[in-house]
Amino acid sequence: MALHAHDEVVLLLGAPGAGKGTQARVLAGLLGIPHVASGDLLREHRQRGSDLGRAAQVIMDRGDLVPDDLVVEMILERLSRPDAERGALLDGFPRTLAQAEALDSRLAERGGRVRAAVYVDVPTDVLIERLAGRWMCRSCQASFHQRFNPPARARVCDGCGGELYQRPDDRPEVVANRVNVYLRDTLPLVERYQSRGILRRVDGNRPIETVRTSLREALGLTEVAGMPA
Ligand code: AP5
């Protein structure tokens, strides 16, 4: 998919565990724009012990949403960096109507827009199994699954060699709250982008490579002789 204007962004929407992070790393590379994941940025703040990280910690660990003003400020700062001049693939943001409106205003100021929103659709019972078996890299935040996407060496990231750990918010009782919060606050955004005619739906309940192929098709990313178009 060719991005034309300054600041065009592509959204990856989906429930916790839908596979957004797994797919976004590859898709962003194909699109030639950075992968900006609000959850990854918040976890980086926590590791650094910043004011934002400390404020977010308890909220994240119980599976609730960090207040809109804090998350919006964090994302707009990230989008203002030079590597995001052409746009970004946003994963996990926006998650509320207020966040979606803040994003639209900021893009409009700079002649940009949300170019496409892709919704990765996965049934709730599958989400719980995925998150219970997830292992995440402490360094680069790549995710693996003990059964569906195992690392070559136990507890070691294939990409950067970092240590793999299980997220505190992947405990079953927290996952249940995250899914409920998602259904209440974030799922309505799917309708917002549907009514604008920019929503593409992809069945995320298939093997990782199959979902990836559908996402590429949804974004018009075709492959020629092994190279992205
Ligand atoms: P965040 O980190 O964004 O978590 P999330 O949206 O809940 O998403 P996940 O990272 O859990 O899932 P994913 O879809 O990326 O799945 P993955 O690819 O890893 O947010 C964490 C917290 O931060 C929130 O709860 C909130 O507190 C806060 N926050 C973040 N953004 C915010 C915002 N905008 N506003 C307010 N608060 C915010 O895959 C999951 C597992 O499944 C992995 O093990 C993977 O290997 C496996 N898998 C992936 N695809 C497949 C497949 N097709 N088949 C089988 N297994 C698969």
Side-chain angles (χ1 to χ4, degrees):
M1 183 171 84
L3 299 176
H4 302 296
H6 181 68
D7 256 347
E8 286 195 331
V9 310
V10 176
L11 309 181
L12 208 45
L13 304 173
K20 302 180 298 296
T22 299
Q23 303 294 351
R25 286 159 207 280
V26 177
L27 290 177
L30 295 174
L31 288 163
I33 52 179
H35 167 215
V36 173
S38 47
D40 289 355
L41 292 173
L42 287 166
R43 281 183 288 277
E44 284 167 17
H45 274 277
R46 286 178 61 162
Q47 277 182 5
R48 286 204 303 273
S50 70
D51 289 347
L52 172 57
R54 284 198 299 276
Q57 183 153 346
V58 179
I59 301 169
M60 292 173 76
D61 287 350
R62 61 171 190 251
D64 289 331
L65 293 182
V66 175
D68 288 331
D69 55 340
L70 300 180
V71 178
V72 166
E73 187 183 338
M74 175 186 77
I75 291 289
L76 297 192
E77 186 282 320
R78 177 65 187 87
L79 291 179
S80 69
R81 295 192 209 159
D83 68 330
E85 264 195 359
R86 285 183 54 240
L89 177 64
L90 292 185
D91 160 7
F93 181 94
R95 251 175 161 96
T96 63
L97 183 58
Q99 292 179 19
E101 287 171 347
L103 177 65
D104 283 345
S105 309
R106 191 271 188 190
L107 292 175
E109 277 167 17
R110 298 168 54 133
R113 63 181 174 141
V114 175
R115 176 71 181 274
V118 188
Y119 174 49
V120 183
D121 194 3
V122 175
T124 304
D125 55 330
V126 176
L127 301 172
I128 291 165
E129 187 185 8
R130 285 190 188 178
L131 294 175
R134 170 162 65 181
W135 288 85
M136 183 167 264
C137 177
R138 239 182 245 290
S139 303
C140 72
Q141 310 219 35
S143 64
F144 298 86
H145 192 279
Q146 57 196 28
R147 194 148 73 87
F148 304 130
N149 185 24
R153 289 169 56 208
R155 304 201 178 194
V156 179
C157 176
D158 288 352
C160 74
E163 181 202 1
L164 302 183
Y165 77 110
Q166 290 193 290
R167 272 171 46 180
D169 60 343
D170 281 348
R171 295 192 311 274
E173 65 277 17
V174 183
V175 167
N177 186 41
R178 284 165 62 200
V179 171
N180 286 336
V181 168
Y182 165 79
L183 295 172
R184 185 191 66 209
D185 293 338
T186 308
L187 194 57
L189 295 184
V190 170
E191 177 55 34
R192 176 183 179 92
Y193 298 110
Q194 170 99 51
S195 65
R196 286 191 192 175
I198 56 170
L199 187 81
R200 291 127 206 225
R201 284 173 194 268
V202 166
D203 175 3
N205 191 18
R206 296 174 297 163
I208 291 173
E209 288 304 327
T210 311
V211 175
R212 184 160 298 149
T213 301
S214 294
L215 285 166
R216 293 176 62 133
E217 286 168 4
L219 290 170
L221 292 164
T222 52
E223 204 168 9
V224 179
M227 294 295 290

